[in-house]
Amino acid sequence: MVVEPKILNNICITAHPLGCAKEVENQINYVKSQPKVKSNVKNALILGASGGYGLASRIAIAYGLGAKTMSVSFEKEATARRTATPGWYNNEAFSAFAKKDGIEDKNLILDAFLNASKEEVIKEAKTFFNGEKIDLLIYSLAAPVRMDESTGTLYRSSLKPIGKKYNGIGVDFLTEELLEVSIDPANEDDIKSTVKVMGGEDWKLWTDALLNADLLAENAINVAYSYIGPEMTKAVYREGTIGKAKDHLEAIAHELDKEMQEKIKGHAYVSVNKAVVTRSSAVIPTVPLYIGILFKVMKNKGIHEGCIEQMYRLLNEKLYNGGEIPVDSENRIRLDDWELREDVQKEVLDSWNKLTKDNLKEIADLALFRKDYMNMHGFDEEGIDYSQDVQI
């Protein structure tokens, strides 16, 4: 069929297989263009590896470190009338490129929150890694819902302010129109559910399961991803329901770091990453507007990064730099260091305060936000004839 982007409420519900493959290839080519990262990593497990930072992590690990990678993701294949999810095509494309380049990989389509999935991954890992242990574990799961198997309760995450109603500005990145944004405050159930879905509980369950199965190697590194952000998004992000989940994730990191040091001389870290375009960031109020301004400022300074540049820098400058891993006072790795640089944030805030409907296009690079978002679904890629029939 001819596959076109179909977008409802800023959510793209189609994906182009050839375009997704092209985007994976672009990221692979970036890592190939960089120096190899020196490490002893042979085997890596990436939980949530089909898009965004998880996919970029897998590509950087496979092509930057030369490691075998096993991925876990919860994606849907195509039907007769509907395309597969972008992550499904990303997984297939990565495997095709890896096979061509002689890199071993394995994709598992599982709901990573389930205990049965953890058991399945452990079983498969023992075979795939040929009895060797996992040197690097990446936890990059992002999901809207999670079921507590012990009670059968379904928890849904939400993105709401805490304490008082939020009123501010946002943008429709497709039409480039400024919007008035109003969000009612969270209740206790909203906070509890968001922490349950997006906090550190499942990361700890995975880590404990792998430790108990004796699958984590001595000196293994275990990394989960977080975000802090600037003042202008703080009310709906870091000081809202998602922020509570991130606080919980970072608290769990301290527990896991201690546990891994005691059991395998390993370490667990949270990496605080830069704001990038993701399927979720596109629907978070105020965030597309902030990102559009941020991208313009960082591009002008020559320090703009996407997911793949961030993940290569994580490996090359942070985790495997030949010395100590640089962390902040909370033992977090800071990949948002360029985003939160004083000169960057001053320019972003100055631009934010000058915003009007008339100067939006010159202040915010919404075209780049839109292109990144479309690329994520396999659209707007160079060299792809989107008028042609394609096998979905």
Side-chain angles (χ1 to χ4, degrees):
M1 68 167 66
V2 174
V3 180
E4 298 177 337
K6 292 182 181 179
I7 300 176
L8 300 174
N9 299 320
N10 282 8
I11 298 173
C12 189
I13 59 173
T14 53
H16 198 286
L18 298 184
C20 287
K22 181 66 174 177
E23 183 64 13
V24 170
E25 183 180 24
N26 291 343
Q27 294 192 47
I28 289 172
N29 286 341
Y30 171 78
V31 179
K32 283 182 173 180
S33 74
Q34 302 301 308
K36 287 286 186 184
V37 181
K38 295 179 181 179
S39 80
N40 295 319
V41 175
K42 295 180 180 178
N43 305 308
L45 172 63
I46 302 96
L47 304 170
S50 57
Y53 275 126
L55 173 63
S57 298
R58 187 183 200 187
I59 292 169
I61 291 165
Y63 284 88
L65 303 181
K68 296 170 66 172
T69 62
M70 174 181 281
S71 86
V72 180
S73 56
F74 197 38
E75 300 294 342
K76 294 181 180 179
E77 61 185 316
T79 65
R81 300 179 61 185
R82 188 166 183 167
T83 69
T85 54
W88 181 278
Y89 294 135
N90 291 339
N91 285 339
E92 288 196 332
F94 176 85
S95 291
F97 288 118
K99 183 177 181 181
K100 177 182 171 185
D101 292 328
I103 295 172
E104 294 183 69
D105 80 292
K106 188 173 185 65
N107 297 319
L108 296 174
I109 304 298
L110 298 166
D111 181 347
F113 288 137
L114 300 180
N115 292 328
S117 298
K118 294 174 176 65
E119 293 170 4
E120 178 71 12
V121 170
I122 287 169
K123 176 185 171 185
E124 293 288 341
K126 289 177 179 178
T127 302
F128 175 67
F129 294 125
N130 298 319
E132 294 183 342
K133 297 181 182 183
I134 295 164
D135 306 295
L136 178 58
L137 172 64
I138 301 292
Y139 187 90
S140 184
L141 293 180
V145 297
R146 176 188 174 200
M147 186 180 74
D148 186 328
E149 291 183 275
S150 62
T151 63
T153 305
L154 190 68
Y155 293 92
R156 294 185 180 276
S157 64
S158 62
L159 197 134
K160 295 181 179 181
I162 295 173
K164 63 180 180 178
K165 189 173 186 176
Y166 172 80
N167 293 296
I169 56 171
V171 70
D172 184 323
F173 69 90
L174 295 173
T175 63
E176 299 196 2
E177 292 179 86
L178 279 179
L179 305 171
E180 294 292 327
V181 177
S182 180
I183 311 170
D184 290 329
N187 58 37
E188 286 303 315
D189 283 343
D190 292 328
I191 298 170
K192 178 183 176 182
S193 294
T194 304
V195 171
K196 190 78 173 180
V197 177
M198 301 290 289
E201 183 178 81
D202 187 61
W203 183 29
K204 179 168 171 54
L205 290 173
W206 270 104
T207 304
D208 288 345
L210 293 167
L211 284 169
N212 291 337
D214 196 25
L215 265 177
L216 293 183
E218 187 171 326
N219 300 312
I221 292 177
N222 182 6
V223 182
Y225 297 140
S226 187
Y227 182 66
I228 293 177
E231 282 295 322
M232 56 218 74
T233 65
K234 193 172 283 187
V236 292
Y237 197 92
R238 194 67 199 202
E239 291 181 351
T241 50
I242 291 290
K244 290 294 184 183
K246 298 303 184 184
D247 289 344
H248 185 265
L249 179 80
E250 291 169 18
I252 290 294
H254 291 287
E255 294 181 26
L256 294 182
D257 189 56
K258 183 179 179 181
E259 182 180 8
M260 289 184 64
Q261 286 185 57
E262 291 173 350
K263 292 184 176 180
I264 58 169
K265 300 178 183 177
H267 284 282
Y269 300 100
V270 162
S271 175
V272 181
N273 299 340
K274 169 186 177 285
V276 292
V277 180
T278 64
R279 299 180 79 187
S280 57
S281 69
V283 296
I284 300 174
T286 76
V287 169
L289 180 56
Y290 165 71
I291 290 178
I293 298 172
L294 176 73
F295 280 10
K296 184 150 193 151
V297 171
M298 294 188 76
K299 275 174 62 183
N300 288 341
K301 292 179 178 292
I303 55 173
H304 173 64
E305 293 176 306
C307 290
I308 192 62
E309 292 87 359
Q310 281 263 290
M311 294 301 94
Y312 176 80
R313 187 155 71 94
L314 173 65
L315 299 179
N316 188 51
E317 296 184 13
K318 309 293 185 180
L319 297 183
Y320 305 106
N321 60 16
E324 289 189 10
I325 296 174
V327 294
D328 67 9
S329 60
E330 297 298 320
N331 205 43
R332 301 174 298 199
I333 297 168
R334 301 303 294 266
L335 278 174
D336 63 345
D337 46 358
W338 296 355
E339 174 187 351
L340 295 186
R341 235 170 57 178
E342 187 176 348
D343 61 319
V344 171
Q345 284 302 308
K346 183 180 184 306
E347 285 192 36
V348 171
L349 184 58
D350 288 346
S351 295
W352 183 278
N353 290 333
K354 293 175 186 173
L355 265 176
T356 68
K357 64 180 182 179
D358 297 320
N359 65 15
L360 175 61
K361 289 186 178 181
E362 65 183 74
I363 284 179
D365 195 341
L366 294 174
L368 179 56
F369 185 103
R370 192 163 52 248
K371 178 172 173 52
D372 281 0
Y373 183 77
M374 299 306 290
N375 287 169
M376 192 185 315
H377 297 85
F379 299 107
D380 286 359
E381 292 284 356
E382 293 182 14
I384 304 293
D385 185 350
Y386 290 99
S387 68
Q388 297 296 309
D389 280 333
V390 62
Q391 177 59 252
I392 65 167

